Structure formats: C-alpha cells, structure tokens
Amino acid sequence: MDQLAQTLARIAADMAAAPDLGRVADYIPALARIDPAQFGIAIVLADGSVHVAGDADVAFSIQSISKVFTLTMALGKAGADLWQRVGREPSGSAFNSIVQLENEQGVPRNPFINAGAIAVADVVLGRGDPREAIGDVLRFVRALAADADGPDEGIVIDREVAASEAVTGHRNAALAHFMRAYGNMADVEGALSLYFHSCAIAMSCRQLAMAGRYLMAGGINPATGHSVVSAQRARRINALMLTCGHYDGSGEFAFRVGIPGKSGVGGGILAVVPGVASIGVWSPGLNARGNSLRASLALEQLSEAMGWSVFTAR
Amino acid sequence: MDQLAQTLARIAADMAAAPDLGRVADYIPALARIDPAQFGIAIVLADGSVHVAGDADVAFSIQSISKVFTLTMALGKAGADLWQRVGREPSGSAFNSIVQLENEQGVPRNPFINAGAIAVADVVLGRGDPREAIGDVLRFVRALAADADGPDEGIVIDREVAASEAVTGHRNAALAHFMRAYGNMADVEGALSLYFHSCAIAMSCRQLAMAGRYLMAGGINPATGHSVVSAQRARRINALMLTCGHYDGSGEFAFRVGIPGKSGVGGGILAVVPGVASIGVWSPGLNARGNSLRASLALEQLSEAMGWSVFTAR
Amino acid sequence: MDQLAQTLARIAADMAAAPDLGRVADYIPALARIDPAQFGIAIVLADGSVHVAGDADVAFSIQSISKVFTLTMALGKAGADLWQRVGREPSGSAFNSIVQLENEQGVPRNPFINAGAIAVADVVLGRGDPREAIGDVLRFVRALAADADGPDEGIVIDREVAASEAVTGHRNAALAHFMRAYGNMADVEGALSLYFHSCAIAMSCRQLAMAGRYLMAGGINPATGHSVVSAQRARRINALMLTCGHYDGSGEFAFRVGIPGKSGVGGGILAVVPGVASIGVWSPGLNARGNSLRASLALEQLSEAMGWSVFTAR
Amino acid sequence: MDQLAQTLARIAADMAAAPDLGRVADYIPALARIDPAQFGIAIVLADGSVHVAGDADVAFSIQSISKVFTLTMALGKAGADLWQRVGREPSGSAFNSIVQLENEQGVPRNPFINAGAIAVADVVLGRGDPREAIGDVLRFVRALAADADGPDEGIVIDREVAASEAVTGHRNAALAHFMRAYGNMADVEGALSLYFHSCAIAMSCRQLAMAGRYLMAGGINPATGHSVVSAQRARRINALMLTCGHYDGSGEFAFRVGIPGKSGVGGGILAVVPGVASIGVWSPGLNARGNSLRASLALEQLSEAMGWSVFTAR
C-alpha cells in the first residue's frame, strides 16, 4: 500500500496548500467558529488496515452524514415499507427546500434531503421516547465504529450543537409540520429532536471510516463478522448515496469522484468504495452547494489516483 | 459463461410471461403501433463474445438513447466547455419540463433531459449544415457498432419517425426557443432537426450493445483498439447515465439495478457494466416514468443474478 | 328601496332552489357537520338601513374574513411598515401554498393568504400576550358591528372551532415556522394562536354587514361617526379585497361580481360597495377554489341587478 | 374642470422634476434608444372633452396595451368560449413566465400575460391570413380612436419594432410552441406575427385615450353611439385590467391607483375611470415590475387628486 500512503501524503499537502478553503456553515452558531484550515482523512481498507493523514482524529459534527446511519436503522425497522413515506429520486433542489414537498403531497424525494431524513427519524422513533431513540442511534453508530475493544465510546452527541439546531431549525420545523399536514409524520417534536441530536453526533474521520465499513463490505461489520444489513440493502444504500448524497451537487460529485458519498454541513464526507475502502474526510469550509470544498477535492484526487471510481473499467 | 446463458434464458422466459407490458408511447404516431409483446436483449462481454435472447435483432427507435452518442460527439468537439451550456445534475422533474429552464436561466440541468440534448445537438451542429451533421451522427454510431466487416450500415434513420417527431415536437421547439431567448442556442431549427433525426435512429439490441462497448472498455472501441474518448471521459459519461439516464426514474434505476443506463421512449435501454459488459435491452411498453417496464425489470434480474451492480462489494 | 327588497327576495328564492350546494369544508371537523342548505344575506346601506333575507341571523364561522379585521388592526399598529413583511400582490396559488414563500424569501404575497394573515397576526400580537390580543380582536370586531346599544356582545369566538384548527392546522404551523426561518415571524406559537382564534369568530350575516360598514363609508364607522381608518386606507383595503380576497378565485370574482370581497371557508363573504353598501352573505358549501358557491352566485346576481360593480359606468 | 387642468399642470411639472426616470426597456432594440425624459398624458372625459399635458401627441409603441384591443376583438369573435383557452386569474409571476403554463397544462392564466395574449391572437386570427388580421386589428384601433373626421389614420404599425420583436421574441415563440404542444394554439407562426405586429402599434396618449373611450362608456363608442361591446363585457374587461393589467405589479397598482389600467413596456398605460374618464399616459422608463415608473406615479397623483379610484366612497 505504498501507493495509498504516497497518495494520502500528497493529498494532505495539496489540501494544506489549497488557496480556497470554502465557507464554514454559519447558520449553526456552534459550527461557525470552527477553524476552516483543518483537514483530515482516514481510510479503512477491506483488509482492516487504517490509513490516515492530517486531522484524522479531530472530532467534528457529522451533521447530514448521520442520515446514512438513521436510514440504515429505519430500513431495519420498517423494511421496504419505508419507501411509502420517502422517495428514492434526486431532488433537483436545495437540501432544505419545501417546494418539492408541496408538489409531491408531503412525500420527500429521498432520505438524504432534510425532509426525508426527518421522516426517517419519525420511523426510527416510532411511538417511542425521543431520548431513548437518541441513545439507540448513538449506540448504533458506536457499534458500527467498534474495534476489538468494543463500541467506540468516544463518539458522542455535542449537546451545544444539538441545542443550537433546535433553536435555529425553524425551517426543519416547517418541513416536519408540513409533512404532518399530509399525514406523513407522527410525532413532529420527537422526530425533530431525534433529527437534531443525530446531526449533532461528533466523531473523527477515523471513527467515521470505521463506522462506514459495513457499506464497503456488503453489509457486514468486518470487526464482528455480523451482518448489519443484507448485501442487497448495502448496495442500495450506496446507490442512494451516489445519486442523492450531496444534495444538489450529487451529479457533480458522481461525475468528478464516482464514489458513493454522503456529506454534512460540518464539512465531513463519508465515502464508500464497495469491496475496497471506507473513507472519512473532513474540512470545514463548504462550496456553493453546501458540500465540503476540500473534502470533495481530496476525494476526487484519491479516486483518480487509486482508480476507485465505481465507473472504472476494471 | 453458462451462468449468463442460463440467466438470459430465464429472463427471456420471465419477460415473455410478464403480465404487465407497460404502455407504448403514443405521442409519436410511428411508435404507437409497435407490438408491445416484443422483448430482446443482447450483451457484449469484455472478451468480445455476444450473448442474445428474444428479439435481439429487431430494429427499434432508440430515441433518447441517442443522447449518449451525441453527448460523446459534443464532448469531442467542445471539451469541458460544453458544461458552460449544460449542467450535470439530476433534474427532479419530467424529461420535457420547461420549469427548470426558467428557474436556471436557460441552462438545462443535464444532457439527458430533452432541453439538454437539444443544447448538445446545437453544439454538435455548430455552424454546420443539419443534413451533414445528421450524417455525421449516423456514421459515428455505425462506427461504434462496427465489427470486423466495418461500420454497421444496417443502422439507419427512420425517416417516418423523424418526420413524425418534427410534427409533434412542439414542446421540444418550445425548449429550444426558450434556450435561444437565454442565448443558449445558436440554431433553433437546425438543432431541433439534428435532435429529431438522432432520436429516430433505428437499430437492434445487438447493434446497440456493440455501439456501447467503448463505455464498457474505458473509452476504447475494442473492435479497433482506437480510443473513442479518454478513460476519464468514459467514466464520467457512465456517471451521468447512472445519475440522469432514466429521467425522473434515475434514482429508482440506480437503486434497483445499480448500473449506468440510458433509456428511450422507444422502449430501449443501453446499460453498461464498466469493464464487464455492454447491454442493449428492448421492450416497447413503458412505466409511469417513461422508461421501458420490462427492459428495466430484465436489467434488475440480470444485475442481481450476475452481481453486476457497480455498488457490489467485489 | 323596493328594487333591493325584490332583488333580495328573488336571490333568496333562487338560492333555495339552486341544485348545487357546493362542498362544506371538511378539514375542520367542527365545520364539516354544518347543514349546507342554509343561506343568508344582509345588506347595510349608506343610509344605515338594513335589509336581510334567509338565514341572516344564524351565526357562522367567519374564518378568513377575519383577515380583513386583523389587517385593519395591524395597519393601525404598524402603518405602512407592515408592507415590509407582507406583499400586496395576488398569489396565483392556493391559499395555503408554501411554494411562494420559498420563492420570495419568507415574505407572503398578500395579507389574505394564510401565510400573510399569520404574519399580520404576528404584527397585531407584537410582544403581547396571545390571550389579550385575542380579546382585542374580538372587541374590535364587536365595536365595528356596534349599533346604538353599543358593541355587539353576541359576536363570540367558537372555542370548539379554535381548538379544532389548532389540532389540524399543521400546514399553518409550517408556514409560520418557515417565515420564522426567514426572520419574518417573532412568535410562532402566539401568532398561530391569535390566527386560529380570529378565524374562529362566529357571527351572523347581519353582524358581518354591520362590521364592514367602515369599508363602505370611507373609513368611518357610521354608527359613531368616528374614523376607524383613513379614507385612503379604506380604499386600499378594498383594493386588496378585490385583487386578493378570494384566493386563487379572486380574478374570477372581480370578473363576475366586480365588488371588493373577502371569503372564508366557513362559507361567508363580506362584500363592500364603496359609498353604497356593506354586505354579509353566507352559505356553507364551497366551490373548487374554496369560496362559497352560493354566496358568490348571490353576489353576482345582486351586483348585476343593482348595478353595484365598481366597474359600472355611472 | 379647472381642478383637472390644475392637476394636470401640477402632475406634468412634478414628472418633469422627478429624479428617477426608471429604465427604458432594452430587449427591443428599437425601443432602447427612446429618450426617457419624455412624459405625456391625455384625458377624455365622459362629456367628450380632451385634456392634455406634456408629450401627449408623441407616438410611442403601445406594446402590451394592445392586448386590451385584441382581447376585445377575440371576445367579439369567440364570446365566452374564449375562456376555455385563457384564464381570468392574476398570474403571480413575470409577464413572460412559462412555469405557470406547464403547471396548468398550457392554459395561460389571463389574457394580459404574454402567453394569454398570444392565445388571444390565435383566436383573432382563426384560420385567417396574418396580414389581413393585422390590418383588422389596426382598423379596429383606428375606429375606436375615431373622431368626427372618421378613423384615425395617424395610428400605424411601426414596422421596425415589429421586425425587432420577431427577431428577439424567442421567449414568446417558446410560449406559443408550448401552448401548441397542449393543443391550445392553432397557428404558431401566424399568432406570433399578429401578436408582434399588434404590440408594434404606435400611437400617442391622445389617440390612446380616445381609443379607450368605450371602456369608460359602458361599451359604447361615444363618437358614434355604437356599441363596441356590451356593458357587461366592458365591466369585465375593466375588471381584468384591474386584477391583471400590470403583470406582477397589478396588486400594487390597484392598491395605489385604484383604477383599471393596462401597461406596456413602451412606457404607456391606458387607464379607465368607468363613467368618468379614459386616460392615456406615457413615459418610457420602467420600474422593477416592467411598468412605466412615471406614468404609474402620475396616475396615482391623478386618482388621489380627482377622487377617481373605483374604491372611493362616492
């Protein structure tokens, strides 16, 4: 894996030298003061080896990346019935747009736009208590990231970020109420609380790459050998990440990088090369579409250098 | 390749027995009278072997599948400048919607919705004569489908279909004039003519699978060893097919089939398994999204059986 | 006024015989069980005389008609600054659409669509207590409807309707949260409460016609001689009623009836012939646009018979 | 009429001193070079007297004001059947928007947005020859403006403007083709030609005020005593002018001026005070909504000073 080590070193150097850092999301106060110069990357290969560069062990707010984990939980709970409540098509509009919801009678286009993720949170919550559900999500992510020592207790929920979102998240509240009006939301307050807290999970690139292994490995957590989801479901989650994982920049990401990925406004991206690698990348500054500028660039270089695009003729 | 032969036989049998044939497109009179019971499939593998089932040698109107070939030509002509005129994002609306064009100042979302393909046709046309440009497109497709005997002269333009579209294509004319109003269209009449004639190309599943080999093979036409496009460009065209190739059913196709594909309202689909296979499938009846009902189903079965999804952990 | 008496009698007879009663609004349970056969009309002329027919003294839920009264209060409180928060253009979409709000950054198109009226309620509320504000609105309407005996205490808030709306009004909650996200809403819960309670005011056609006198009389309450609003403001409220008072059926109402009017889903309409008459009409069944079917028809006949259209060459 | 003379003199002086002239429409080359400092106004009262100020006899391009005259002709030809093809509601969007057309299956919202006027032109044209139809429209307008000497032959079509629009009018061509796709347009080229030529009619404020007399006078041309349209139809055209006559600034115009009016991007406005006055005003500079800045302002002052708002308590 000399090639990977060299590639990572070069990418980290390039990113440190990148003139444009992008813009840190400022609508969540707790995120607005993050130092935009940070950059980290961690890669877990199929053989279990871990490769890192930069600030790979600095915790950041995963934000919308959490949607991958809550979707996985909701599918486990509701199975294919979930798709009665959420679509599977790219949205063609901003991540927090409400226009689409009205045009399609309260059914969000996919589970990775905000409305869709709130509906997914409602499924995960069921008739349960939001506090317990939040604990369940956290435990699930910790277990996904587990190593030989067990669940990764270093993964936590950043209470300040969660509170900050609850205060500023009026648009998400509008989405939830709107879906409620269409009968596609059981517990507005509970689902929003679960959504805000899931988005406020803080973890490092290394932890994120560990947590994403099941999507690399056909649904199996390599640490335990246990199946998290079926192989078919893992493929399908990857497909959704490729077509919808970067909001209205998903097509661009597929075009340039060619790997399933899910971004968050905290600047992180979880990317998956099926059968090959699970990748966590983070740099706080965002591009115009709300995706991390340097994390996207790093993944483009990585994919090109390693031939990791799923569209590569092998 | 016993497995492939068995799989094809089973799929052909299943499709012959499928109770729902979908609805043949009726807005183009020449297409409305096609027998919906037909079904054909042809697969060219990386080793050059060809595998067929059903009506694999019946010519059909490729319609929007032609957008893959004209995009390839336009990229050859304009390079990355093409992306000044056409976007790369899924549209989130119907293939012939004009709403998006107004919202985004005359720049179509991607080259596979009608507006985008008409802009692509305008690039291919340049300041040239539409008749000559149509000849160029036809020659290009014939060359792509070439075997040891040279270009496949059996691929033709169905004049009746082309004329029929020119008559009924008012919506496409609206799209072209609209882009012209935004300065994103040089020759409305010429581009429409080239577009209509490209869509009217008639070829069989076998010919289609042959023509798609360069997308399977990293941009190289295996018959000649010559590069049609660069390996990077081949990956990117595949990425566009995966995210945008089935109109507003693209997410669903990626979710279920997991292979880059481009459909046409004539009932055909060109699908590409990078490094593995180029596939032409055809069945005239369409689903609610305007994609072939049975061709989609056949590809889902094929992808599942052969493990061909690009999201498979290899 | 023989002509008016005869006209009213004829209209009441025609309406009793009308074959189509329309559809009673069913999304507010308390309204769904109203007998659709009821019809009432009351007219107060400039000379103070009152003319009635049918169920003119049966109380009904005025719903959106209350928007005229809260708008009047908000203009008194904020003056022209109100127009920083609410537009003055017809909306071209349904009364509860959220699409427009997103397209125009949280500024509702006019004070008579739901979003606009909730913003108006937020202005009326200010930093105050919702309960007190509700009392203020009720007192204001009672004073407008006052006769020689003083404020009309028979006008009340129907608590069952108010509670019913609070429960079913998720779409209005979405609108309020959405405006809050754009900084155009101070107190989501308070404004919604004030809005729901204002809509739940119950009064009869006679009381409604009395309450509308100031809009007929250049802003002056004829019972007291006191100015409610300036003459200019009265004209402008009438203009808003004409262009925006019937949701997406406003153009049709102006075309057929030609009189400023404001409808409510309870089946009532307040109509104003400047200088001539203030009219309350009620019939519970609605047309496809959500306006009372028979009240609209009655006003069309009345306007035609009396030459009351503001577009009449006098 | 001393008051009117004084008011006109004051308005002309105010407009001459107005610091902001607005922006001359620049998308039609022949209009872009007009001197924006010009201002004219002409008023014909019910008694036939004519009152003018400023550049009242300078010819200008009436543009969309022509839509009033072609609507009148189309109603004469098709009667109420016209409303199968064109709606009567304000649009809530820009004058040349195509979004609404898609949302409402090719039926324009009203006859005063471009799409609606092109549909109206198609009705006026019928199966006829566009050149003859253009002659008919011109003769109709000349007859409306007639005085004792007969039709006003000074009213002409500005061929340069007509040609200029045919060249730049791709957006209108898109609208026409789009309606054709929905079956709501018989002759795309013919209707566009008639539309462009009608818009290119050049006349002065005085001629315009004369031509609008029938809308002031209950449908009767006072010069001849003949009925142009029924009184009901005159009222209804006035209603449409009030609700839809200033594109997406119609609500604002009704709010401020309170008089039916129709504006054109040439800077003219035809305004009608039913029973009282027909008014032509012109100043080339436009406001943000595409309506003449100073003509709107002049009408607001005039309406206020003379008490001409239709919402005035008489």
Side-chain angles (χ1 to χ4, degrees):
Chain A
M1 274 301 121
D2 275 344
Q3 190 198 351
L4 179 54
Q6 285 170 21
T7 301
L8 276 186
R10 180 172 52 74
I11 289 174
D14 283 0
M15 292 305 122
D20 185 0
L21 301 178
R23 274 176 61 106
V24 173
D26 54 5
Y27 67 92
I28 301 176
L31 297 183
R33 53 174 192 266
I34 304 290
D35 173 10
Q38 296 174 92
F39 172 84
I41 185 166
I43 300 173
V44 181
L45 296 181
D47 65 8
S49 63
V50 181
H51 309 258
V52 303
D55 304 309
D57 289 301
V58 177
F60 59 90
S61 188
I62 65 168
Q63 295 292 317
S64 291
I65 301 171
S66 64
K67 293 168 182 173
V68 175
F69 305 125
T70 49
L71 170 64
T72 303
M73 290 178 75
L75 283 168
K77 193 159 184 177
D81 287 350
L82 178 69
W83 306 117
Q84 304 294 320
R85 295 188 53 186
V86 186
R88 294 182 289 219
E89 292 299 328
S91 74
S93 47
F95 64 96
N96 57 5
S97 172
I98 205 163
V99 168
Q100 174 265 321
L101 268 192
E102 179 158 319
N103 290 342
E104 302 185 31
Q105 273 85 54
V107 177
R109 289 223 114 207
N110 66 63
F112 293 154
I113 54 173
N114 288 14
I118 297 167
V120 162
D122 195 52
V123 168
V124 171
L125 178 58
R127 295 169 172 277
D129 177 69
R131 286 165 175 274
E132 287 179 23
I134 294 160
D136 290 345
V137 171
L138 186 59
R139 271 185 296 278
F140 180 65
V141 174
R142 286 173 168 175
L144 290 177
D147 59 16
D149 296 332
D152 191 328
E153 304 288 339
I155 299 173
V156 296
I157 287 172
D158 184 326
R159 298 284 160 186
E160 185 192 352
V161 169
S164 161
E165 291 198 79
V167 169
T168 61
H170 297 288
R171 195 156 174 146
N172 287 324
L175 294 169
H177 281 284
F178 205 69
M179 289 188 283
R180 179 76 177 82
Y182 280 108
N184 193 18
M185 179 66 41
D187 180 349
V188 166
E189 297 304 322
L192 284 171
S193 178
L194 179 54
Y195 174 77
F196 291 143
H197 283 83
S198 301
C199 288
I201 290 175
M203 59 201 288
S204 67
C205 290
R206 186 190 300 266
Q207 291 165 325
L208 187 59
M210 292 290 278
R213 290 170 299 174
Y214 72 108
L215 294 173
M216 159 185 69
I220 291 168
N221 184 337
T224 62
H226 292 151
S227 172
V228 179
V229 294
S230 71
Q232 184 191 61
R233 189 161 284 166
R235 286 201 303 274
R236 290 180 161 186
I237 294 173
N238 281 327
L240 285 164
M241 290 171 74
L242 192 82
T243 54
C244 314
H246 285 76
Y247 309 121
D248 203 21
S250 299
E252 185 75 10
F253 191 85
F255 183 88
R256 291 191 174 281
V257 183
I259 295 174
K262 181 71 205 83
S263 72
V265 293
I269 299 178
L270 169 64
V272 174
V273 188
V276 177
S278 170
I279 309 165
V281 202
W282 170 61
S283 180
L286 309 180
N287 63 21
R289 300 289 194 179
N291 301 305
S292 173
L293 183 70
R294 289 193 296 166
S296 303
L297 211 53
L299 284 166
E300 185 178 352
Q301 291 188 14
L302 181 68
S303 170
E304 182 74 33
M306 302 302 295
W308 279 356
S309 162
V310 298
F311 304 110
T312 304
R314 285 155 218 271
Chain B
M1 272 301 122
D2 274 344
Q3 190 196 351
L4 179 54
Q6 285 170 19
T7 301
L8 277 186
R10 181 172 51 75
I11 289 174
D14 283 0
M15 292 307 122
D20 185 0
L21 301 178
R23 272 176 63 106
V24 173
D26 54 5
Y27 67 93
I28 301 177
L31 297 183
R33 53 174 191 266
I34 304 291
D35 172 11
Q38 296 174 92
F39 172 84
I41 184 166
I43 300 173
V44 181
L45 296 181
D47 64 8
S49 62
V50 181
H51 309 257
V52 302
D55 305 308
D57 290 300
V58 176
F60 59 90
S61 187
I62 66 168
Q63 294 292 318
S64 291
I65 301 172
S66 65
K67 293 169 182 173
V68 175
F69 305 125
T70 49
L71 170 64
T72 301
M73 289 178 75
L75 282 168
K77 191 158 183 178
D81 287 350
L82 178 70
W83 305 117
Q84 304 294 320
R85 295 188 53 185
V86 186
R88 293 181 291 218
E89 292 299 330
S91 74
S93 45
F95 65 95
N96 56 6
S97 173
I98 206 162
V99 168
Q100 173 267 322
L101 269 191
E102 179 158 319
N103 291 342
E104 302 184 33
Q105 273 85 53
V107 177
R109 289 223 112 205
N110 67 63
F112 293 153
I113 53 173
N114 287 14
I118 297 168
V120 162
D122 195 52
V123 169
V124 171
L125 177 59
R127 296 169 172 277
D129 177 69
R131 286 165 174 274
E132 286 179 24
I134 293 160
D136 289 346
V137 171
L138 186 59
R139 271 185 296 278
F140 180 67
V141 175
R142 286 172 168 176
L144 290 177
D147 59 17
D149 298 331
D152 190 328
E153 306 289 339
I155 299 173
V156 297
I157 287 172
D158 184 325
R159 299 285 160 185
E160 186 192 351
V161 170
S164 161
E165 291 196 79
V167 169
T168 61
H170 298 287
R171 194 154 176 149
N172 287 323
L175 294 168
H177 281 285
F178 205 70
M179 289 188 283
R180 179 77 177 82
Y182 279 108
N184 193 18
M185 179 66 42
D187 180 349
V188 165
E189 297 304 323
L192 284 172
S193 178
L194 179 54
Y195 174 77
F196 290 142
H197 283 83
S198 302
C199 287
I201 290 175
M203 58 202 290
S204 67
C205 290
R206 185 190 300 265
Q207 291 165 326
L208 186 59
M210 291 291 279
R213 289 170 298 173
Y214 73 108
L215 294 172
M216 160 185 70
I220 291 168
N221 184 335
T224 62
H226 291 151
S227 172
V228 179
V229 295
S230 72
Q232 185 192 60
R233 189 160 285 165
R235 286 201 303 274
R236 291 180 162 186
I237 294 173
N238 281 327
L240 285 164
M241 288 170 75
L242 193 81
T243 55
C244 313
H246 285 75
Y247 309 122
D248 204 21
S250 299
E252 185 74 10
F253 190 85
F255 182 88
R256 291 191 174 280
V257 183
I259 295 175
K262 180 74 205 82
S263 72
V265 293
I269 299 178
L270 169 64
V272 175
V273 187
V276 177
S278 170
I279 308 164
V281 201
W282 171 62
S283 182
L286 309 180
N287 64 21
R289 301 289 194 180
N291 301 304
S292 172
L293 182 70
R294 290 193 294 165
S296 303
L297 210 53
L299 284 166
E300 185 178 354
Q301 291 189 13
L302 180 67
S303 169
E304 184 74 33
M306 303 302 295
W308 280 354
S309 162
V310 298
F311 305 110
T312 304
R314 283 155 218 273
Chain C
M1 273 302 121
D2 274 344
Q3 190 196 350
L4 179 55
Q6 285 169 19
T7 301
L8 277 187
R10 181 171 51 75
I11 289 173
D14 283 0
M15 292 306 123
D20 185 0
L21 301 178
R23 272 177 63 106
V24 173
D26 54 6
Y27 67 93
I28 301 176
L31 297 184
R33 54 173 190 267
I34 305 291
D35 173 10
Q38 296 174 92
F39 172 84
I41 184 166
I43 300 173
V44 181
L45 296 181
D47 65 8
S49 62
V50 181
H51 309 258
V52 303
D55 305 308
D57 290 301
V58 177
F60 59 90
S61 187
I62 65 168
Q63 294 292 317
S64 291
I65 301 172
S66 65
K67 294 169 182 173
V68 175
F69 304 125
T70 49
L71 170 64
T72 302
M73 289 179 75
L75 284 168
K77 192 158 184 178
D81 287 350
L82 178 69
W83 306 117
Q84 305 294 320
R85 295 188 54 186
V86 186
R88 294 181 290 220
E89 292 298 330
S91 74
S93 46
F95 65 96
N96 57 4
S97 174
I98 206 163
V99 168
Q100 173 267 322
L101 268 191
E102 179 158 319
N103 291 341
E104 302 184 32
Q105 272 85 53
V107 177
R109 289 224 113 204
N110 67 63
F112 293 153
I113 54 174
N114 287 15
I118 296 167
V120 162
D122 195 52
V123 169
V124 170
L125 178 58
R127 296 169 172 279
D129 177 70
R131 287 165 174 275
E132 287 179 24
I134 293 160
D136 290 345
V137 171
L138 186 59
R139 272 185 294 279
F140 180 65
V141 175
R142 285 173 168 174
L144 289 177
D147 61 16
D149 297 331
D152 190 327
E153 305 289 340
I155 300 172
V156 297
I157 287 172
D158 183 326
R159 299 285 159 183
E160 185 193 351
V161 170
S164 160
E165 291 196 78
V167 169
T168 61
H170 297 287
R171 195 154 175 148
N172 288 323
L175 294 168
H177 281 285
F178 205 70
M179 289 189 283
R180 179 76 179 80
Y182 279 108
N184 193 18
M185 179 66 43
D187 180 350
V188 165
E189 297 305 322
L192 283 172
S193 178
L194 179 53
Y195 174 76
F196 290 142
H197 283 84
S198 301
C199 287
I201 291 175
M203 58 202 289
S204 67
C205 290
R206 186 191 299 266
Q207 291 165 325
L208 186 59
M210 291 291 279
R213 288 170 299 173
Y214 72 108
L215 293 172
M216 159 185 71
I220 291 168
N221 182 335
T224 62
H226 292 152
S227 172
V228 178
V229 294
S230 71
Q232 185 191 59
R233 190 160 284 165
R235 285 201 303 275
R236 290 179 162 188
I237 295 173
N238 281 327
L240 285 164
M241 290 169 74
L242 193 82
T243 55
C244 313
H246 285 75
Y247 309 120
D248 203 21
S250 298
E252 185 75 10
F253 191 84
F255 182 87
R256 292 191 173 280
V257 184
I259 296 175
K262 180 74 204 81
S263 72
V265 293
I269 299 178
L270 170 63
V272 174
V273 187
V276 177
S278 170
I279 308 165
V281 201
W282 171 62
S283 181
L286 309 180
N287 64 21
R289 301 289 195 180
N291 301 303
S292 173
L293 183 71
R294 289 193 295 165
S296 303
L297 211 53
L299 284 166
E300 185 177 354
Q301 292 188 12
L302 181 67
S303 170
E304 183 75 32
M306 303 301 295
W308 280 354
S309 162
V310 299
F311 304 111
T312 304
R314 283 154 218 273
Chain D
M1 275 300 120
D2 274 345
Q3 190 197 352
L4 179 55
Q6 284 170 20
T7 300
L8 277 187
R10 179 171 53 74
I11 288 173
D14 283 0
M15 292 305 122
D20 185 0
L21 301 179
R23 273 177 62 107
V24 173
D26 55 5
Y27 67 92
I28 302 176
L31 296 184
R33 53 174 191 266
I34 304 290
D35 173 10
Q38 296 174 90
F39 172 84
I41 184 166
I43 300 172
V44 181
L45 296 181
D47 65 7
S49 63
V50 181
H51 308 258
V52 303
D55 304 310
D57 289 301
V58 177
F60 59 89
S61 187
I62 66 169
Q63 294 294 317
S64 291
I65 301 172
S66 64
K67 293 169 182 173
V68 175
F69 304 125
T70 49
L71 170 64
T72 303
M73 289 178 74
L75 283 168
K77 193 157 182 177
D81 287 349
L82 178 69
W83 306 117
Q84 304 294 319
R85 296 189 53 185
V86 186
R88 294 181 290 219
E89 291 300 328
S91 73
S93 47
F95 64 96
N96 57 4
S97 173
I98 206 163
V99 168
Q100 173 266 321
L101 268 193
E102 179 157 319
N103 291 341
E104 303 184 32
Q105 274 83 54
V107 177
R109 289 222 114 208
N110 66 63
F112 293 154
I113 53 174
N114 288 15
I118 297 167
V120 162
D122 195 52
V123 169
V124 171
L125 178 58
R127 297 169 172 276
D129 177 69
R131 287 166 174 274
E132 286 179 24
I134 293 159
D136 290 345
V137 171
L138 185 59
R139 271 186 296 279
F140 180 66
V141 175
R142 285 173 168 175
L144 290 177
D147 61 14
D149 296 333
D152 191 327
E153 305 288 339
I155 299 172
V156 296
I157 286 172
D158 184 325
R159 299 284 160 186
E160 185 192 353
V161 169
S164 159
E165 291 197 79
V167 169
T168 61
H170 297 288
R171 196 156 173 146
N172 287 324
L175 294 168
H177 281 285
F178 205 68
M179 289 188 283
R180 179 77 178 81
Y182 279 108
N184 193 17
M185 179 68 40
D187 180 352
V188 166
E189 297 304 322
L192 284 171
S193 178
L194 179 54
Y195 175 76
F196 290 144
H197 283 83
S198 301
C199 287
I201 290 176
M203 58 201 288
S204 68
C205 289
R206 186 191 299 266
Q207 291 165 325
L208 187 58
M210 291 290 278
R213 289 170 300 175
Y214 72 108
L215 293 172
M216 160 185 69
I220 291 168
N221 183 336
T224 62
H226 292 151
S227 172
V228 179
V229 293
S230 71
Q232 185 192 60
R233 189 161 284 166
R235 286 200 303 275
R236 291 180 161 187
I237 294 173
N238 281 327
L240 285 165
M241 290 170 74
L242 193 82
T243 54
C244 312
H246 285 75
Y247 308 122
D248 204 21
S250 298
E252 185 75 10
F253 191 84
F255 183 86
R256 291 191 174 281
V257 182
I259 295 175
K262 181 73 206 81
S263 72
V265 293
I269 299 177
L270 170 64
V272 174
V273 188
V276 177
S278 170
I279 308 166
V281 201
W282 171 61
S283 180
L286 308 181
N287 62 22
R289 300 290 194 178
N291 301 305
S292 173
L293 183 71
R294 290 194 295 165
S296 302
L297 211 53
L299 283 167
E300 185 177 353
Q301 291 188 13
L302 180 68
S303 169
E304 182 75 33
M306 304 301 295
W308 280 355
S309 161
V310 298
F311 304 110
T312 304
R314 284 156 217 271

